[in-house]
Amino acid sequence: MTQVAMTVNGKPVTGEVEGRTLLSDYLREDLRLTGTHIGCDTSQCGACVVHVDGKAVKACTMFAAEAEGAQVTTIEGMGHPDGSLTAIQQAFQDHHGLQCGFCTPGMVMTAAALLEETPKPTEAEIRDYLEGNICRCTGYHNIVKAIMAASGQDVSAIAAE
Amino acid sequence: MPKDHGIGASPLRREDVRFLTGRGKYTDDIALQGQTHAVFARSQVANGVITSIDTSEAEKMPGVLAVFTGEDFVDVGGNPAGWQINSRDGEPMKEPKRPVLAHGKVRHVGDAYAAVIAETEEQARDAAEAIVAEIDEQPAVVDMGAALKEGAPLVHDEIGTNQCFDWGWIEDNRAATDAAIKEAPHVTTLELVNNRLVPNAMEPRASTADYDPGTGDYTLYTTSQNPHLTRLLISAFVLGIPENKLKVVAPDVGGGFGSKIYHYGEEALVLAAARKIGRPVRWTASRSESFLTDAHGRDHVTRIELACEKDGTFIAFRTETMANVGAYLSNFSTATPTFLHGTLMAGNYAVPNVYVNVRTVFTNTAPVDAYRGAGRPEATYSLERVIDMAARELGIDPLEIRRKNFVQPDQFPFTSAAGLEYDTGDYGALVDKLEEMIDRKGFEARRKESEKNGKLRGLGVNTYIEACGIAPSNLVGVLGARVGLYDAATVRVNATGNIAVMVGAHSHGQGHETAFPQVVADMLGIDEDSVEIVHGDTSKIPFGMGTYGSRSLAVCGSAVVRATEKIINKGKKIAAHMLEASEADIEFTDGQFSVAGTDKSVGFGDVALKAYIPHDFPLEEVEPGLEETAFYDPANFTYPAGAYACEVEVDPETGKVTIDRFAAADDFGNVINPMIVSGQVHGGLAQGIGQALLENTTYDADGQLISASYMDYAMPRADDLPFYSVDHSCQTPCTHNPLGVKGCGEAGAIGSPPSVVNAVIDALHAGGHAHVTHIDMPLTPARVWSAINS
Amino acid sequence: MYAFDLERPSRIADAVKLLSDSEESQPLGGGQTLIPTLKQRLAMPERLVSLTAIPEMQGVCTSDAGALCIGGATTHATVAAKAGHYPALAALAGNIGDPAVRNRGTIGGSLANNDPSACYPAAALGSGAVIVTNAREIAADDYFEGMFTTALEEGEIITEVRFPVPEKAHYEKFDQPASRFALTAVFVAKYADGVRVAVTGASEEGVFRWSEAEKALSADFSPEAISGLSLSGDGMISDLHGSGAYRAHLAKVLTGRAVTAAR
């Protein structure tokens, strides 16, 4: 077992982990931050995406010990301090960009990383950026629409109801 | 101005807030004090005789608390089949036992034969590896045709065959159908495969059990679409725990699509283990386990014939299908290829003759059961592909050939040649709407543009009808169902006027927490925010059959309506007393009870308070309280219908198919929340397109699942799909439920595969490859390229 | 997964020592391939030596000779962003996996693994790159020895990869629709002294150079130059995504498209 220390959602945390303890396990089981989800075992589905030192990372494909000294942000850390939703989260709600909610934390974290890099992405850029986030419920239509809306682009032309 | 609340509005979903902030509570999020972990030892061979299982080493390993094998469950009931089907010769179907843990034989790769309970998951996994199982591998039978041959290896030796049943529908119509086909001027024949799919809800299955030795109460947290059904199956058939000692809780569930309807052995195991060791037992599937053991979908091989006149008038449809049920019967495996498939084989059409034959086959593969659409995608695909082919052969426009055969609006209620009574519909209007949506006139220009870029372009269309809002208990009981298919709701008005609605449906993405309150608030004329549903916990909700089969609003919603009507009726009695009027004179509108013809009224909130503070109540006439329950059993299925169109580009050098546009015009009857309905269609379209182009469940000859992870099973991603164009403004309300809703959850997956395939064939024909008349799904680039070059 | 100790040295020399003093030590790059393998319990190292905390192995720069030099532990995302000097290589890196995978996966990890469907092997072989380890320099032509097999010795780590920058280049990738690895992909690079064509995803032996195509394209850098050529499906990967013959066909189509795009 080793000691590990990192900052999670702005708070310093320390813990004891094994070498094999995944960052996702540490977040979910030790810190009880269960918003980061496990949807696969081949590092493809993206339900576990968090930010480590500002970069989107699959928490299930990184060891907790590798996050030593890092700034980690999970879905729980994405809202405003007063509890209100950020622009991305609100856009997902406004445009029905989620159904069962299981892929949603990873989608929001990936969307946030995208908009950091590319403030006004095109439809094609969004779809390409979501290659590592699988959703089985929405067919992606409203997710792409939500991300475009969150970036301040006009989505009125996109077919909806 | 669109409404922003009530029926027909699209208020934002309440459940979103917790999902968007990581505060959902899914089964694997639940950690109970003192919890232990279960890991299953699973067969690596598809067919094998278990000669011995030595658990002695495993039992001694660090952290291990218990080890179970099939021996521990020999006296326990098997997981039952929920629907009895008889063969054409009158023989009842074969029902081999499906034990909690495999006993005597393992019958598919992934079949669990032992389970270890330990302090940590890794310790349980280490111990599972230390179990020594002597399994004598037998030749596997994977192909259905091979399984039905004399001398094939048997999946279940004791039944002497791999055929579960040989079913015909409608048997009395068989001779007439055969004769009609024989005499017909034109017959188109098509052999096609409806490919096996793995549902792949993004949340893997999970079950956690707790046992309280003080009270003898069990609690099962599990990823279920229907906690009451799960409890019934475990109580009545498997473990025998009395229902009043077993609470089943389905918390937030991350998708199901049918795969989480069924009871699975893991649920019984964790309950038995919790009892044995006196501590909670937790299990979560890995994605690999899900691939191997979640009920798969579809897997039909069909030969369909369409007999028609030269002008395209349909005379008869005749189909022969082999349907795979896998190694064991899952709870609805027998209903899906029969009463949810054969009964739809007249389609939207007034065709006079239909005959369907289905043989279901055991193979050494994962059990197969209902998956989004459950039988109706299979029927729609067979019909709409052979119709497309016939249209091409006869030189008739594919929309015209369908129009001329539609059941016409003035013919409803219409009993189809496959025996279902369609209540209402207007299929011509759907095609009109579709044509508005797709700019058919501009297609040739788009095709030329594609050709300039070296690509072929095709347009494929189809229509569909489906039967859902499952189901009328009397009817399905006669047809062999062993359960009723009603649903239930309790509307509990609290003293201070807020309302809890306990529903038997269980949302796993469908937005019930938002949609059901819309109905209640609309009926009571109150603020939607004062109504909340309670779902998923058998100790809190009345017995409902759950969420699948596009039934939640059609059946449970109707129960909600009936219960709310009872609330209104009781409210009238109370109001009459409060207003010193006779009950017959009380009217209720917009949340106010008033005396007809006067301005005397009392609000809903005041009536609610009075009900719980019944001073000077006429107790001989009306009881205190304001809580009503209704069980609703539908009079018939509901019959959504639609017209779909898909435009594709095909790269002839690689065979890659790209969906350029997809349009869906659906008739769902009345719609409660249009935003949620569109979302359901989007998701269904993605799954249907996935089936048509991407999802390739493949077992090798030894029964090994080759496509056992997302590395080989191609899930649709955002860049595989376009924005969709969906419309549900063509509404012929259901005539037999109080909301007039038909249901929408499965339509997208039912209606979409044919137009995708039709579009690819269209592209190839236009591109000089008219020799390609059919390609089996999924139309992977390699398959399309091979077809072009064959 | 099985238990192991995880070490995170900050110097190459320390990493080499940790890897050499035990048979059961394995290097850990970005983990995007190794961690899924460990989850399936397909490997049992007793110690993992992470290479991603070693500053000496990070970064993209240009050598005096004009070659693009990439530290062995540099992520795909960094290469995509910083290798503008060699655009085809940057584009290849930017299309490996997905954004989250690109933030962790490393060039050294990819080349050390030599997955027959991976992208970087095609770039390295197609560029005549030099694989620099803690012990020596290996030319790309001598490095790839078959599916999942390389010239690396036990405990040897890739510290840097040097890419000669061509006049023109393009990587044309046809995705395997599930894994998004290359079902077949071709890296074409035109140097002053000739054209190199590296094919990945197709052969059971892993990445290979299509020498006939190289000859024809060196004489005439146009898609027509290879119209008379073909590859045999024998020895090509055949699986549920496509036959060997299909992959052989794709290799030709993609070579032509790569040349068109490079021109």
Side-chain angles (χ1 to χ4, degrees), chain A:
Chain A
M1 298 286 272
T2 42
Q3 279 284 315
V4 70
M6 63 185 80
T7 306
V8 179
N9 298 331
K11 291 200 181 67
V13 294
T14 57
E16 276 230 315
V17 297
E18 296 183 308
R20 63 182 167 178
T21 304
L22 296 166
L23 180 59
S24 53
D25 288 338
Y26 180 61
L27 293 169
R28 287 180 55 76
E29 304 295 333
D30 290 51
L31 300 182
R32 298 307 298 155
L33 294 169
T34 56
T36 300
H37 296 153
I38 307 299
C40 79
D41 50 15
T42 50
S43 308
Q44 291 175 276
C45 80
C48 69
V49 172
V50 298
H51 294 173
V52 177
D53 289 333
K55 293 189 168 25
V57 161
K58 292 178 170 173
C60 79
T61 315
M62 183 173 173
F63 296 111
E66 292 183 285
E68 170 68 34
Q71 298 276 343
V72 178
T73 308
T74 72
I75 185 69
E76 291 93 340
M78 289 301 280
H80 292 309
D82 67 356
S84 60
L85 301 179
T86 61
I88 292 175
Q89 290 165 318
Q90 190 59 57
F92 269 73
Q93 184 184 35
D94 289 345
H95 297 283
H96 190 33
L98 61 149
Q99 292 183 22
C100 83
F102 198 77
C103 77
T104 304
M107 286 289 177
V108 171
M109 303 307 285
T110 296
L114 169 60
L115 296 185
E116 269 291 311
E117 284 177 32
T118 311
K120 304 272 186 205
T122 63
E123 177 196 345
E125 285 172 330
I126 295 172
R127 290 184 184 278
D128 183 62
Y129 205 86
L130 292 177
E131 193 173 339
N133 289 83
I134 303 178
C135 173
R136 200 49 156 165
C137 291
T138 67
Y140 305 100
H141 180 115
N142 285 341
I143 290 176
V144 177
K145 194 175 173 193
I147 294 173
M148 295 197 83
S151 72
Q153 297 181 77
D154 176 15
V155 295
S156 55
I158 298 172
E161 20 173 318

Side-chain angles (χ1 to χ4, degrees), chain C residues 112-150:
Chain C
N113 188 39
N114 193 21
D115 187 304
S117 303
C119 295
Y120 265 128
L125 192 59
S127 307
V130 175
I131 287 97
V132 181
T133 77
N134 55 289
R136 56 188 166 134
E137 298 188 357
I138 313 172
D141 284 334
D142 302 325
Y143 175 80
F144 299 100
E145 294 185 350
M147 185 191 283
F148 297 110
T149 318
T150 71

Side-chain angles (χ1 to χ4, degrees), chain B residues 122 125-126 129 288 651 653-654 656 694 696 698 706-707 710-714 717 719-720 781-782 785, chain C residues 1-2 39-41 174-181 183 239-243 245-246 249-250 253-254 257:
Chain B
E122 296 288 6
R125 206 168 289 289
D126 291 340
E129 285 177 8
S288 300
D651 179 345
E653 288 192 307
T654 64
K656 182 157 166 71
L694 295 166
N696 194 357
T698 305
I706 305 299
S707 52
Y710 295 149
M711 292 295 281
D712 286 300
Y713 189 88
R717 265 70 155 220
D719 62 7
D720 290 316
W785 180 78
Chain C
M1 58 184 81
Y2 297 115
K39 285 180 186 174
Q40 301 295 333
R41 293 192 158 203
F174 189 79
D175 282 354
Q176 193 264 62
S179 68
R180 303 309 186 85
F181 276 62
L183 198 160
D239 62 13
L240 69 97
H241 305 287
S243 64
Y246 178 63
H249 163 78
L250 278 182
V253 170
L254 298 172
R257 292 183 182 186

Side-chain angles (χ1 to χ4, degrees), chain B residues 152-166:
Chain B
L154 293 178
V155 180
H156 296 274
D157 304 284
E158 71 276 17
I159 61 173
T161 174
N162 286 323
Q163 181 172 282
C164 181
F165 58 76
D166 175 346

Side-chain angles (χ1 to χ4, degrees), chain B residues 310-321:
Chain B
K310 290 271 192 246
D311 71 355
T313 305
F314 299 160
I315 297 171
F317 288 106
R318 182 169 65 190
T319 67
E320 280 168 26
T321 294

Side-chain angles (χ1 to χ4, degrees), chain B residues 90-248:
Chain B
E91 275 291 300
M93 68 188 191
K94 304 291 184 202
E95 289 187 67
K97 184 176 181 184
R98 183 181 183 193
V100 174
L101 286 175
H103 185 253
K105 277 194 84 178
V106 287
R107 295 183 172 89
H108 66 93
V109 172
D111 202 0
Y113 56 83
V116 176
I117 317 299
E119 297 285 353
T120 73
E121 194 185 322
E122 296 288 6
Q123 287 173 328
R125 206 168 289 289
D126 291 340
E129 285 177 8
I131 294 175
V132 181
E134 296 291 342
I135 297 179
D136 186 14
E137 187 174 359
Q138 307 290 306
V141 62
V142 176
D143 174 79
M144 286 192 277
L148 290 176
K149 285 203 170 71
E150 269 302 304
L154 293 178
V155 180
H156 296 274
D157 304 284
E158 71 276 17
I159 61 173
T161 174
N162 286 323
Q163 181 172 282
C164 181
F165 58 76
D166 175 346
W167 178 80
W169 185 263
I170 299 175
E171 215 44 41
D172 288 346
N173 297 346
R174 182 179 183 180
T177 305
D178 289 348
I181 292 178
K182 216 157 168 220
E183 305 299 313
H186 184 94
V187 179
T188 298
T189 304
L190 178 56
E191 295 189 347
L192 34 67
V193 168
N194 202 293
N195 45 324
R196 179 186 280 238
L197 302 173
V198 181
N200 273 303
M202 292 319 295
E203 179 205 24
R205 286 190 300 119
S207 301
T208 292
D210 198 8
Y211 176 72
D212 180 340
T215 59
D217 289 331
Y218 293 83
T219 302
L220 175 68
Y221 301 93
T222 189
T223 51
S224 173
Q225 300 175 217
N226 36 251
H228 268 293
L229 178 59
T230 300
R231 188 175 76 166
L232 178 65
L233 293 173
I234 294 173
S235 290
F237 295 98
V238 184
L239 295 178
I241 304 169
E243 284 168 282
N244 58 7
K245 304 301 283 178
L246 171 58
K247 176 170 79 169
V248 176

